[in-house]
Amino acid sequence: LIYNTIRVDYEKEYKQDRWYIISPIVYLGKNNDYSNQKVQQENHFNTMYGGGMGLYYKHMIGVSYIINTYFSIGARYNYIYLDYKNYAWVTIIENGNETLIYDLVDINQQIHRADADFLIGLETELYQRLYIDTYIGFALRYSYSLYNQDFPDKKFEEGMWSYAYTGPAMLLGIKIGFLNKRYRW
């Protein structure tokens, strides 16, 4: 929710202490503040939407009645569409002459991102139905962007929390869910 994202994990045990996780994700956000100060912020956008799907393997390495320890590896594909304004050099034609100006332009960016994740986590059950999972790990990310402009804009590529970042990234998270005798979601 911090990054305009909702992710749902469906976990199913297929062998003793071995699980698979199917993980769809949805990106959805809208901002209406077009002030100069907001436009220049690193992750500011007007409209964002997209989705993705992940598939993970989870292996329990420490099982007890209170806290379970596990490691998980997996891959995810994400598609994110961003519509935003940013400053750029543009060529305009006035009275038959080309002039280069620095102006605020509309940019549409489509991001295709592949992630490879490795996680270590602790999970516990509360009240026989509530499931809490905290994890830490790292990811390797590769992003490819398509633009409606002739120039690539690096606005969403700076820093590991950016949508179009490529490189190693740290993962931290907490999952809260409900248990079923046969399924975990």
Side-chain angles (χ1 to χ4, degrees):
L1 296 176
I2 294 171
Y3 291 101
N4 301 294
T5 305
I6 295 178
R7 173 178 157 176
V8 177
D9 286 359
Y10 169 79
E11 300 183 11
K12 177 142 176 57
E13 187 173 23
Y14 67 94
K15 282 187 180 179
Q16 180 71 32
D17 298 332
R18 293 185 180 149
W19 300 72
Y20 67 82
I21 304 169
I22 298 172
S23 177
I25 192 167
V26 175
Y27 298 91
L28 192 59
K30 186 162 183 64
N31 292 315
N32 294 321
D33 187 353
Y34 304 116
S35 66
N36 186 40
Q37 181 181 9
K38 285 286 187 183
V39 166
Q40 292 182 356
Q41 287 181 353
E42 182 179 330
N43 277 325
H44 185 268
F45 56 84
N46 299 342
T47 307
M48 174 183 64
Y49 61 83
M53 180 63 74
L55 185 59
Y56 297 90
Y57 165 78
K58 178 177 172 180
H59 186 83
M60 305 305 277
I61 52 179
V63 180
S64 74
Y65 289 106
I66 300 172
I67 295 177
N68 301 320
T69 307
Y70 69 89
F71 76 87
S72 178
I73 58 172
R76 170 177 299 286
Y77 169 78
N78 299 283
Y79 170 81
I80 304 167
Y81 174 85
L82 294 160
D83 175 5
Y84 60 97
K85 294 181 181 291
N86 204 5
Y87 287 95
W89 290 101
V90 254
T91 304
I92 61 168
I93 298 176
E94 282 185 3
N95 301 326
N97 297 322
E98 288 187 3
T99 306
L100 193 62
I101 63 169
Y102 193 65
D103 198 10
L104 191 62
V105 296
D106 291 320
I107 300 173
N108 300 331
Q109 181 177 0
Q110 296 179 48
I111 302 167
H112 299 272
R113 190 179 83 205
D115 300 351
D117 300 344
F118 177 80
L119 304 169
I120 295 175
L122 300 171
E123 62 181 31
T124 188
E125 298 175 15
L126 299 175
Y127 308 112
Q128 299 178 356
R129 288 283 185 217
L130 186 61
Y131 167 80
I132 297 177
D133 181 352
T134 57
Y135 59 87
I136 187 168
F138 68 91
L140 296 175
R141 293 184 172 161
Y142 175 76
S143 297
Y144 178 76
S145 295
L146 301 171
Y147 300 91
N148 68 328
Q149 301 289 333
D150 293 335
F151 57 89
D153 187 17
K154 304 289 186 194
K155 182 174 183 174
F156 293 96
E157 297 176 13
E158 307 295 325
M160 75 173 128
W161 304 113
S162 295
Y163 298 112
Y165 172 73
T166 295
M170 188 170 129
L171 301 174
L172 296 168
I174 184 168
K175 295 191 280 186
I176 300 171
F178 300 98
L179 294 173
N180 186 320
K181 290 182 182 180
R182 297 177 64 197
Y183 303 103
R184 183 178 293 187
W185 53 281

